[in-house]
């Protein structure tokens, strides 16, 4: 079943518990994480919660619970919901106070949802997906996993309108990342991806996949590359908690490589699956 949590209480997901004056609701004044659970085990949960803490710090928001307490609450939610393959959404905001832009003196709010996983089909992994190139119109602090996702949502929808799975974003001619994924190009056996600076979210899956690549003897260069470089790549792929390692076979009307998942992406996907266990 699905389950929710709001400020200390486990509740049904359709409970009407968020007051109008909640700052996540009114300002998007908060940060979040998405954690995947495979067969009862949260995958890289500590890494996600450390990033949540760093995102909170970056917007001067105090963590409502310690990382250890979050881990306990997540385990409790999974047990209560009787979920083994799940997606947990964790959000913290600056709390509930009469609408005023400056910070209120109130405790932060925590909400969570526990839902069955929405995994991609094996066919999607085997065939790969198409992406659309779109302008990166986001702010300069994309390393913060903030609730303010309007540019991401607009880009994702524009891509969907073109029949694409994801929007790959371009800033000043360089590929940054996807609307909710990190982006990679492979040329002559080398994996290229944007450096983890303020222009992208430093993906937890990204870090795991780059480590898997290095352990497999695949060279990785954390260098920004242009959209022309992507279009001429031998292979391309994206990563995220929900999409794992997914081949990009088409960028708008351009076929990437052979138009099917290539050897590097297939190897990385297989090794990533092993890591999951
Ligand atoms: N999205 N870049 C952006 C902009 C993202 O929103 C995400 C994650 C990623 C990949 O990060 P990770 O590997 O840690 O999931 C990169 C989540 C899944 C979401 O918003 O649903």
């Amino acid at each position: 079943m699905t389950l929710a949590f709001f400020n200390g209480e486990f509740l049904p997901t359709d409970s009407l518990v968020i007051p109008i004056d909640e700052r996540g609701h009114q300002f998007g004044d908060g940060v979040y994480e998405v954690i995947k659970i495979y067969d009862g085990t949260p995958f890289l949960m500590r890494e996600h919660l450390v990033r949540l803490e760093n995102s909170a710090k970056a917007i001067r928001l105090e963590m409502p619970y310690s990382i250890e307490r979050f881990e306990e609450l997540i385990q409790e939610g999974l047990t209560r919901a009787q979920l083994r393959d799940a997606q947990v959404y964790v959000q913290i905001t600056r709390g509930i106070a009469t609408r005023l832009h400056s910070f209120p003196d109130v405790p932060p709010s925590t909400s969570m949802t526990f839902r069955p996983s929405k995994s991609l089909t094996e066919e999607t992994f085997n065939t790969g997906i198409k992406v659309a190139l779109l302008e990166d119109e986001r702010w300069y602090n994309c390393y913060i996993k903030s609730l303010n996702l309007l540019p991401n949502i607009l880009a994702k929808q524009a891509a969907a309108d073109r029949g694409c799975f994801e929007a790959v974003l371009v800033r000043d001619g360089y590929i940054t990342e996807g609307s909710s994924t990190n982006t990679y190009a492979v040329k002559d056996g080398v994996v290229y991806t944007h450096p983890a600076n303020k222009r992208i979210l430093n993906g937890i899956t990204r870090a795991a996949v780059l480590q898997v690549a290095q352990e497999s003897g695949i060279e990785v260069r954390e260098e920004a590359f242009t959209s022309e470089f992507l279009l001429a790549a031998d292979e391309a792929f994206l990563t995220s908690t929900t999409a794992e390692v997914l081949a990009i076979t088409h960028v708008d009307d351009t076929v990437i490589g052979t138009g099917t998942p290539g050897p590097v992406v297939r190897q990385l996907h297989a090794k990533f699956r092993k890591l999951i266990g």
Side-chain angles (χ1 to χ4, degrees), residues 103-174:
F103 297 175
D105 188 14
V106 294
S109 287
T110 306
S111 38
M112 294 197 264
T113 59
F114 301 84
R115 292 197 156 91
S117 292
K118 272 185 291 163
S119 296
L120 297 171
T121 64
E122 284 309 303
E123 198 199 334
T124 306
F125 287 113
N126 291 335
T127 53
I129 50 90
K130 180 176 176 180
V131 300
L133 287 183
L134 283 144
E135 196 58 34
D136 192 340
E137 294 178 341
R138 300 173 302 161
W139 70 332
Y140 289 102
N141 291 310
C142 298
Y143 73 102
I144 302 170
K145 202 160 172 57
S146 128
L147 297 184
N148 289 272
L149 291 174
L150 200 47
N152 307 59
I153 288 165
L154 292 172
K156 182 79 98 186
Q157 187 58 43
D161 291 345
R162 293 191 212 167
C164 297
F165 176 89
E166 173 63 306
V168 164
L169 307 176
V170 187
R171 199 191 280 258
D172 303 327
Y174 289 90

Side-chain angles (χ1 to χ4, degrees), residues 32 34 51 145 177 179-182 201 203-205 240-241:
Y32 76 103
V34 178
R51 186 172 66 186
K145 202 160 172 57
E177 61 180 333
S179 72
S180 64
T181 58
N182 291 114
L201 183 75
I204 302 300
T205 319
S240 80
T241 297

Side-chain angles (χ1 to χ4, degrees), residues 40-60:
T41 306
F43 184 60
L44 302 174
M45 174 159 65
R46 179 55 68 114
E47 286 80 352
H48 280 283
L49 292 172
V50 167
R51 186 172 66 186
L52 182 69
E53 190 172 57
N54 289 336
S55 292
K57 208 179 281 170
I59 66 161
R60 299 166 61 190

